[in-house]
Amino acid sequence: MRKIDKIILHCSATKEGQSFTTKDIDTWHRARGFAQIGYHHVVYLDGSVHKGRDESLIGAHCLGQNATSVGVCYIGGLDSQGRPKDTRTPQQKAALDKLVEELKTKYPQAKVFGHNEFAAKACPCFDVKKEYRQ
Ligand SMILES: [Zn+2]
C-alpha cells in the first residue's frame, strides 16, 4: 500500500439538492482525461458513501498532493445560483465524520485538509481546519 499522510476533502461543485453519482463523476473526470473517477470516496446527499477509485491507486483530485493522499468528495458545494456554499445535508455531515474517523484509523499518520488549502479554490466550501483539525 502507498503511504497516506493526507485525507483531502472536496465538494462536487454541483448545485444544492441536485443528486449525482460516482458514475456521473467518472464520466466528467474521463472527459477531462483522467483514467477514471479521481476521488476515492463519494458521499451522496442521503449520507450513503460510495467507492470511487481504489485507495491503493493514486487519485486525481488535488494537484501536487495526489501521491500520498486519499480524496473524499461530497455531492454539492454550490447554491442555486452556482456560488460556493456549504450545502452538506445532516446525513452528509454525519457520513463525512464517520468516514474521516475510519480513514484516520486506517492511516493514523494522516491529517485532514480541504482542497482549498492547496489551491485557490472554494472547494470544499467549509472550514476543514476548524471542523477536523482542532
Ligand atoms: Zn476539490
Side-chain angles (χ1 to χ4, degrees), residues 47-89:
S48 58
V49 178
H50 300 259
K51 191 176 175 298
R53 191 176 294 207
D54 194 87
E55 273 179 35
S56 66
L57 301 172
I58 293 174
H61 56 89
C62 187
L63 201 63
Q65 305 297 332
N66 289 311
T68 61
S69 67
V70 169
V72 173
C73 174
Y74 74 92
I75 299 296
L78 301 179
D79 71 11
S80 60
Q81 307 299 311
R83 292 172 299 218
K85 182 187 176 186
D86 180 2
T87 63
R88 289 173 299 162
T89 64

Side-chain angles (χ1 to χ4, degrees), residues 9-11 39 61 115 123:
L9 305 187
H10 298 264
C11 64
Y39 307 119
H61 56 89
H115 190 186
C123 178

Side-chain angles (χ1 to χ4, degrees), residues 18-110:
Q18 293 188 349
S19 183
F20 294 95
T21 65
T22 51
K23 183 139 178 23
D24 294 318
I25 298 172
D26 187 62
T27 301
W28 304 336
H29 284 184
R30 285 175 196 263
R32 286 167 60 183
F34 301 169
Q36 59 173 136
I37 185 170
Y39 307 119
H40 297 98
H41 302 280
V42 179
V43 180
Y44 287 10
L45 299 177
D46 66 0
S48 58
V49 178
H50 300 259
K51 191 176 175 298
R53 191 176 294 207
D54 194 87
E55 273 179 35
S56 66
L57 301 172
I58 293 174
H61 56 89
C62 187
L63 201 63
Q65 305 297 332
N66 289 311
T68 61
S69 67
V70 169
V72 173
C73 174
Y74 74 92
I75 299 296
L78 301 179
D79 71 11
S80 60
Q81 307 299 311
R83 292 172 299 218
K85 182 187 176 186
D86 180 2
T87 63
R88 289 173 299 162
T89 64
Q91 293 88 343
Q92 282 178 309
K93 285 188 183 182
L96 278 168
D97 283 351
K98 184 163 176 278
L99 178 58
V100 164
E101 273 316 304
E102 286 167 4
L103 290 170
K104 282 167 75 177
T105 301
K106 192 169 174 186
Y107 307 111
Q109 70 278 43

Side-chain angles (χ1 to χ4, degrees), residues 24 35 42 51 56 85 88 111-113 127-129 131:
D24 294 318
V42 179
K51 191 176 175 298
S56 66
K85 182 187 176 186
R88 289 173 299 162
K111 286 194 164 60
V112 189
F113 297 91
D127 190 343
V128 172
K129 185 178 181 191
E131 288 197 30

